[in-house]
Amino acid sequence: MSNDKTGNDFSSICTRWMTRREAMKGLLAAGATAATVSTLTAACATSDIVVDDASAPPRLSFAEIPRMLDGNHHVAAGYNAEVLLSWGDPVLPGGRAFDAAAQTAAAQSRQFGYNNDFLAYFPLPAGKRSGSEEDQHGLLCVNHEYTNAYLMFPGYSNWRDSAAGINREQVDIEMAAHGHSVIEVRKQNGHWSFVENSRFNRRITMDTPMRMSGPAAGHQRLRTSADPGGTRVLGTMGNCAGGVTPWGTVLIAEENFRYNFGGHPEELAESHPREVRNYARFRFGNHERRQWYRFHERFHIANEAHEANRFGWMVEFDPYDPQSEPVKHTALGRCQHEGCSVVAEEGRPLVAYTGDDGINEYIYKFVSNGTYRKDKGKRNSALFDDGILYAARFNDDGTGRWLPLIFGQGPLTPENGFNDQGDVLIDCRIAADLLGATPMDRPEDIDTNPLTGRTYVMLTKNTVRERTDAVNPRQKNAWGQVVEILAPGADGQRDHAALEFGWDIFILAGDPGKDSTARGQYGAGTSDDGWFCNPDNIAFDPFGRIWMATDSSNQCGFHDGLWAAQTAGPERALSRHFFGCPRGAELCGPCFTPDGKTLFVAIQHPADEKGSTYLNPSTRWPDFNDSVPPRPSVVAITRADGKVIGS
């Protein structure tokens, strides 16, 4: 039930939050008796540590850094934060050293891409859990979400200028800078480096062939002039967060794909009337930030009305096999996927949680019809092609229900524009609208605690929200919140395939010192540096402690960065400030090595702020060289004493 403005003042919000917090204490206490742990996968490989009611996670003991806003990065005292990889670094054989003044598409295709986001670490050799402090070794998988042309090329003062004036070669460089990188990395003598010409190194770009799988593969609405069968597609884009599977593959999300297409939905009214509602639902034509369609016809929806339907999926590939063909799993639905959290328990259905990163969009869950078997290895991938997609409805009493998106059930019928399950999956946003799922405050990353089985959703903000509810309690929410979803059962024994769930607001972001709806709610003892705005990405360390990254805190007057907290016990939701980005940047993809001794983070779009340009950026991080523009980079964080991060 929605509340109007008079029923949703600040005191009402605080009262509801505190009442629910007290109620949740009993639920969490009841769930803390389990001593076994489900087989879960998070954004990185996890440890084998088991937490039961007799062994609480160690306290977070690092000294917090202050909130600030300057041109460099900052990390807690006693830690080292070293740049590992930057945009333009050569990673494939024949790759040339970065030269911003002489960049080409051919060069970029063999170099590290732009705006690194999601990170996943896979030990080498495959299946290895951890190595010694002196010689750790693995593959780092990195998404490249999008490009900022006005910071990549001279002559533009902002993204609107670059959209108007960009040329074909610059567009092709942008396309080569999108996608994904797989990089072999090694830690020796306490420092991480990457292996430039490793046989494992790979770039996945807009030219990489991919296969469509699942119920929508071959659908008439996925067929194009280049692919009349509707089962093959070139490239992936908008790759934001992601996930990993227990059989050693990586899942990468396709989020803001609409920015890379041109044209307006009304152009399709006569030729493809079925797509008018589809593209209007994604707000096509409102944000033509990248002008690819001026030089490549497949990105103009009036020329190829179905091409954009081939994006917005979850993509899986094997990082250990440089020749593996990426697969787009249509059974997980088409939306602006932010991430994917996989829950795999022996002999039970595979479950995958995803979020749709848009204002008033939804949280989804996929449940396979088949069951996960560890001994099947990579053949478990087929589970993603046969199952049921659900959208979440959050009730004001702290309960919720998963609503099935199945053709022919309820409103998902031809009368409402759905002719088969392929239509439902291609238009899963519209299907969720009709089912009455709960519109959320921009669901970004979603992840399941590998020790407890509780699932956490990062809701970044929703500045246009007027009508509120218990899970989205603030109008014009500029600060965001972190929501905890509890599948039925005790910690470590939760039934993720169940249709019912409980929920709580884990953290209400914002300044706890404000006497207004901007006021945040955290665990007792949170310091003045411990509060944050705009939660975005998420990771869990080997002890099940939550690490929360932010996006857009610059608008709150300080840097984006990384905060950590316990998820249970007396310091539940007491957040501590660990890392800060250079100005204009957001922090993405926090990712731990299995032993918890290294934390990788991605620094995206440094200097992306008003008045900043290629020739006069607000920071030249990380090179601080007048001839080198700011470069998105991956940073490796370790403790100076070599011990586990955070403790």
Side-chain angles (χ1 to χ4, degrees), residues 11 126 128 171 291 326 460 542 636:
S11 60
K128 184 180 178 183
V171 161
Q291 302 288 293
T460 293

Side-chain angles (χ1 to χ4, degrees), residues 456-459 480-484 504-509 532 535 538 546 548:
Y456 296 79
V457 185
M458 310 292 270
L459 300 173
Q481 63 261 27
V482 181
V483 171
E484 182 180 58
D504 181 32
I505 294 181
F506 177 67
I507 283 176
L508 199 65
F532 55 83
I538 182 176
I546 190 171
M548 300 164 286

Side-chain angles (χ1 to χ4, degrees), residues 166-229:
I166 200 165
N167 60 46
R168 171 66 181 261
E169 179 65 18
Q170 291 170 341
V171 161
D172 290 350
I173 292 170
E174 283 192 302
M175 291 173 61
H178 277 64
H180 193 86
S181 294
V182 179
I183 309 294
E184 182 179 352
V185 295
R186 186 185 293 272
K187 183 182 180 185
Q188 294 177 304
N189 300 319
H191 301 278
W192 285 90
S193 61
F194 70 95
V195 182
E196 187 171 318
N197 293 311
S198 166
R199 68 181 182 87
F200 291 107
N201 288 3
R202 182 179 185 182
R203 280 300 324 281
I204 294 174
T205 70
M206 285 304 302
D207 292 326
T208 303
M210 302 188 179
R211 177 172 62 89
M212 309 293 295
S213 73
H219 196 279
Q220 62 180 358
R221 296 177 61 200
L222 297 184
R223 298 172 187 169
T224 66
S225 58
D227 175 32

Side-chain angles (χ1 to χ4, degrees), residues 91-272:
V91 295
L92 299 185
R96 74 181 195 189
F98 179 68
D99 183 351
Q103 189 74 330
T104 67
Q108 178 65 80
S109 67
R110 311 192 76 76
Q111 297 169 333
F112 193 63
Y114 200 79
N115 273 347
N116 33 232
D117 197 297
F118 169 72
L119 304 175
Y121 178 85
F122 291 83
L124 283 174
K128 184 180 178 183
R129 294 303 301 171
S130 64
S132 68
E133 175 188 349
E134 293 75 23
D135 187 12
Q136 294 185 7
H137 190 200
L139 300 178
L140 196 63
C141 296
V142 187
N143 274 353
H144 300 293
E145 184 181 3
Y146 66 96
T147 47
N148 295 95
Y150 81 100
L151 293 173
M152 297 172 69
F153 312 116
Y156 307 123
S157 59
N158 53 49
W159 71 263
R160 291 181 177 83
D161 282 353
S162 63
I166 200 165
N167 60 46
R168 171 66 181 261
E169 179 65 18
Q170 291 170 341
V171 161
D172 290 350
I173 292 170
E174 283 192 302
M175 291 173 61
H178 277 64
H180 193 86
S181 294
V182 179
I183 309 294
E184 182 179 352
V185 295
R186 186 185 293 272
K187 183 182 180 185
Q188 294 177 304
N189 300 319
H191 301 278
W192 285 90
S193 61
F194 70 95
V195 182
E196 187 171 318
N197 293 311
S198 166
R199 68 181 182 87
F200 291 107
N201 288 3
R202 182 179 185 182
R203 280 300 324 281
I204 294 174
T205 70
M206 285 304 302
D207 292 326
T208 303
M210 302 188 179
R211 177 172 62 89
M212 309 293 295
S213 73
H219 196 279
Q220 62 180 358
R221 296 177 61 200
L222 297 184
R223 298 172 187 169
T224 66
S225 58
D227 175 32
T231 60
R232 313 289 300 179
V233 61
L234 284 179
T236 182
M237 63 175 72
N239 305 110
C240 198
V244 301
T245 69
W247 51 88
T249 59
V250 63
L251 295 164
I252 59 177
E254 296 184 325
E255 188 198 2
N256 282 312
F257 63 94
R258 75 181 190 273
Y259 291 151
N260 300 328
F261 286 84
H264 296 259
E266 56 268 24
E267 296 179 71
L268 303 172
E270 294 186 9
S271 61
H272 293 82

